[in-house]
Amino acid sequence: MWSRRSCRYRPDASGLEELRARRREQESALRKARRQQQLVSKRLLREDSLVNGDGQAGVEIASEPLSEQEILQLLRDVQRGTEERKKLLSRLRQGLQHKECQQKFVRLEGSMRVLIGLFTSSLANVQMEAARCLHELSHSSDPSVAEACLPATSYLLTYLSGHSVEFTELCLYTLGNLAVESDAVRKQLLPQGIIPALTSCIQSPHMAVLEGLGYVLSQLLQAREAPTKIIPLVLDSVLPQHMLRLVSSNLELGMGVAVEFAWCLHYIVCSHVNNALLISQGIVSTLVLLLLELASMISKAATEGLELLICPVLRCLSNLLAEDETEVCKVQIQDERLLVALFLFMQYFLQQHPFLVQECLWLLNNLTADEPIFCSAVLTLDLLPALLQLLSCSRMVTLLAVDDFLRQAGLQALEQHQDNPQLQERVRALSETYLQPAAASLISCADASAAVLTSS
C-alpha cells in the first residue's frame, strides 16, 4: 500500500525552492508594476450617446481643440450670465477632452475660479455642466492639471450629500480621478474629511452612487501612504462593516458594487494594518459564503463578470490565511463546500480565465497547509481526480500546490484513510504524475505563466 515512505523520491528540493524564490521575485515585480498601473487608471463618465439628426443614437465626437483666445472668450461669455451658459459650458467641456486644451485652461489666470463659481451655482443645469468640465480636467494625465483642481475638492466633498444621483456620482468619480494623480490632492482630502464624507455617502440606496464610492475608496487605499495615513482612518470608521455588507448583497442587480468593495477589502488586507479587526467583524465567514453563492451562480449559467468578483475574494482569503496567526481564520472557514467551490471555479474558468486557477490553487495551498482536516476533505470529497485532470490538461497550472499537499498534511490525512485502497491509489497516481521528468519544466512553465497572469 502506498505510504509516506513512497514520497522520498521527488524532484531536487533545492531546485524546487529556487523555482519558488524566482516566482516570488517575478510576482513581486509584476504586482508592483500592476499597482503603479492601477494608480494611474482613471474613469471617465460622459454622455456617450446623443441623438443625431435622423433621431438615432450617435456617439459624441469631441470638437477641435480650443485656442487660448477661444477659451478666454468662452469664459467671458459665461460670466455675462446669458441664457446660453449651458451651451457655452458644453462647448468648453468638449474642448477640455483634449490634453493641450486642459493645459491651456489651467494656465489662464482666474479660469478655475470662474469654473468653480459656476460649479457652485444655484442653477442645476449650469452646475451639472460645470461639474462635467471639472470631471474632464480630473481625467487629465498631467499632474499639474489635477493640482489646479485643488480649490474644488471641498465643494466636491460637500456635494456628496446632495439629492441628485447623477450629480453625486459625477462628484465621486471626479474625486477618485484626482486622488489617483496627485499626492497633494490626497493630502488635502484627508483633513477636509473625505473619510467621514464617504462614511455618510455609503448609506445611499443608489447603486450608481455606491459603485462610484467604491472607486474613490479603492484609489485612496492604493496610495503609497495608505497603510499609515488612510487605512487606519478607514478601520476606525464604520466603512468596513458596510463594505462587508455590500460585497455580498444585491448581486442579482449587478456586481459592480460588490467588485469595487471586494478590491477595497483586498487592499486593506494586504496592508496588514489590523486584519484581526476585520476577522472579528466577520470578513472570513462573509467571503466564504460569498464564494459559495458565486459557485451556485455558475451552476445556473449566470457567469458573466463573475471572475471580476471571485478574484479579489480569493486573494483576501488567501492573504488572511497567510497571516502569522491563522487558527481563527481556519476555525471560521471549516466548511468543506469551499473546497468543492474552488474546484468548480478551476474547472469552469480554466480555458477562458486561467488566472483564476492560480488564485484558487493559492487558496487551496493555504487551506491545506499543516491542516489535516482540509487535506482529508480533499480525499473524501473525491477531489483528487479533478486535480489530476488539471495537471494533465493545462500547462498553466502550477505544481507547487501539489508539492505542498504531498509534503505537508496530505500524507497525514491519508494515514487516516488506510482502509480505503481507492484513495491510496489516487494519491499514488498524483505523486507519480508529480514525479515525472517533465514536472520540472512544467513547474518552470507554470511559474512564468503565473507571473504573466498576475500582471493582468
Side-chain angles (χ1 to χ4, degrees):
M1 183 177 295
W2 192 83
S3 66
R4 183 189 297 267
R5 290 188 298 273
S6 303
C7 261
R8 65 177 61 174
Y9 302 108
R10 46 165 55 109
D12 180 44
S14 61
L16 252 166
E17 289 307 316
E18 183 181 348
L19 285 169
R20 288 173 185 274
R22 192 172 75 230
R23 188 183 76 163
R24 283 193 294 267
E25 291 173 3
Q26 289 174 332
E27 291 189 342
S28 177
L30 286 164
R31 277 196 299 269
K32 182 177 180 181
R34 182 172 184 264
R35 175 183 172 84
Q36 293 303 319
Q37 182 180 5
Q38 285 182 329
L39 282 170
V40 297
S41 64
K42 297 186 176 186
R43 299 187 191 174
L44 188 61
L45 303 182
R46 281 180 181 161
E47 292 179 312
D48 292 326
S49 57
L50 300 175
V51 177
N52 57 26
D54 58 2
Q56 300 296 320
V59 177
E60 180 181 11
I61 300 175
S63 60
E64 292 297 318
L66 299 172
S67 66
E68 188 171 309
Q69 190 59 40
E70 287 175 316
I71 296 173
L72 277 171
Q73 189 59 49
L74 280 173
L75 292 174
R76 291 193 192 104
D77 292 343
V78 166
Q79 285 180 286
R80 291 189 185 125
T82 67
E83 296 180 358
E84 297 291 323
R85 266 184 172 181
K86 183 178 182 298
K87 184 177 179 180
L88 293 169
L89 281 170
S90 178
R91 187 182 173 200
L92 175 63
R93 172 175 58 83
Q94 292 184 34
L96 290 175
Q97 294 174 16
H98 301 277
K99 182 177 180 178
E100 58 269 35
C101 187
Q102 295 168 350
Q103 293 169 335
K104 291 174 187 176
F105 180 85
V106 299
R107 285 198 299 263
L108 286 174
E109 184 178 356
S111 59
M112 287 303 302
R113 178 179 52 79
V114 172
L115 183 57
I116 292 172
L118 295 165
F119 179 54
T120 57
S121 169
S122 58
L123 300 174
N125 60 345
V126 172
Q127 186 183 43
M128 177 63 79
E129 205 59 45
R132 291 181 178 133
C133 289
L134 273 173
H135 186 63
E136 291 291 344
L137 289 173
S138 76
H139 196 256
S140 174
S141 58
D142 185 346
S144 65
V145 175
E147 292 187 14
C149 295
L150 277 170
T153 57
S154 61
Y155 298 106
L156 287 165
L157 290 175
T158 299
Y159 291 141
L160 295 186
S161 57
H163 299 293
S164 167
V165 173
E166 183 183 3
F167 187 65
T168 302
E169 180 189 21
L170 194 59
C171 290
L172 284 166
Y173 282 102
T174 302
L175 281 167
N177 289 344
L178 293 174
V180 170
E181 196 65 53
S182 172
D183 293 344
V185 170
R186 294 194 300 273
K187 186 176 180 180
Q188 179 168 290
L189 285 172
L190 290 176
Q192 285 180 339
I194 188 170
I195 301 302
L198 295 180
T199 301
S200 175
C201 195
I202 203 171
Q203 301 177 55
S204 170
H206 303 290
M207 303 298 284
V209 170
L210 293 173
E211 189 169 346
L213 189 152
Y215 169 66
V216 178
L217 195 54
S218 70
Q219 300 309 311
L220 292 172
L221 294 173
Q222 292 177 83
R224 292 188 298 273
E225 69 276 14
T228 56
K229 296 183 178 179
I230 299 174
I231 292 177
L233 295 176
V234 172
L235 291 175
D236 285 341
S237 72
V238 296
L239 283 171
Q241 293 97 306
H242 284 291
M243 284 190 276
L244 289 173
R245 171 180 60 85
L246 292 167
V247 79
S248 57
S249 62
N250 297 320
L251 294 181
E252 66 280 359
L253 300 179
M255 289 184 294
V257 173
V259 169
E260 294 293 348
F261 288 115
W263 282 107
C264 288
L265 290 169
H266 168 62
Y267 300 137
I268 295 174
V269 169
C270 285
S271 73
H272 304 286
V273 172
N274 191 355
N275 285 342
L277 176 63
L278 291 175
I279 293 171
S280 69
Q281 292 174 343
I283 184 174
V284 175
S285 57
T286 297
L287 296 184
V288 169
L289 290 174
L290 176 57
L291 285 178
L292 296 180
E293 182 179 356
L294 293 174
S296 70
M297 293 174 70
I298 285 180
S299 64
K300 299 173 184 175
T303 61
E304 184 178 358
L306 279 184
E307 73 282 355
L308 301 176
L309 180 54
I310 293 172
C311 181
V313 175
L314 291 172
R315 291 188 180 186
C316 276
L317 288 174
S318 295
N319 285 313
L320 287 170
L321 286 168
E323 293 279 309
D324 292 335
E325 298 180 3
T326 63
E327 292 307 314
V328 176
C329 289
K330 289 189 176 179
V331 168
Q332 294 185 22
I333 290 179
Q334 304 264 329
D335 192 331
E336 296 178 349
R337 293 177 299 168
L338 178 58
L339 295 175
V340 177
L342 291 180
F343 277 89
L344 179 61
F345 294 148
M346 286 190 283
Q347 290 180 316
Y348 189 86
F349 291 109
L350 177 62
Q351 301 300 326
Q352 192 172 3
H353 302 294
F355 71 93
L356 272 184
V357 176
Q358 306 294 337
E359 303 292 348
C360 289
L361 282 171
W362 181 249
L363 178 53
L364 178 64
N365 174 74
N366 288 356
L367 281 172
T368 55
D370 298 318
E371 186 55 62
I373 294 177
F374 286 109
C375 288
S376 181
V378 171
L379 299 174
T380 56
L381 292 174
D382 201 24
L383 298 176
L384 281 180
L387 188 56
L388 281 166
Q389 183 182 11
L390 286 169
L391 287 172
S392 63
C393 74
S394 173
R395 294 176 62 83
M396 310 297 281
V397 178
T398 177
L399 293 176
L400 295 177
V402 178
D403 174 68
D404 286 328
F405 180 85
L406 293 174
R407 283 177 179 270
Q408 300 182 98
L411 299 177
Q412 184 180 345
L414 187 63
E415 290 177 352
Q416 303 172 12
H417 302 279
Q418 291 192 13
D419 58 344
N420 190 327
Q422 186 178 30
L423 284 181
Q424 301 283 330
E425 179 61 26
R426 283 175 178 168
V427 176
R428 186 185 64 78
L430 180 65
S431 178
E432 288 181 351
T433 303
Y434 170 74
L435 291 169
Q436 288 176 359
S441 61
L442 184 56
I443 292 174
S444 179
C445 221
D447 178 66
S449 300
V452 172
L453 291 166
T454 302
S455 69
S456 60

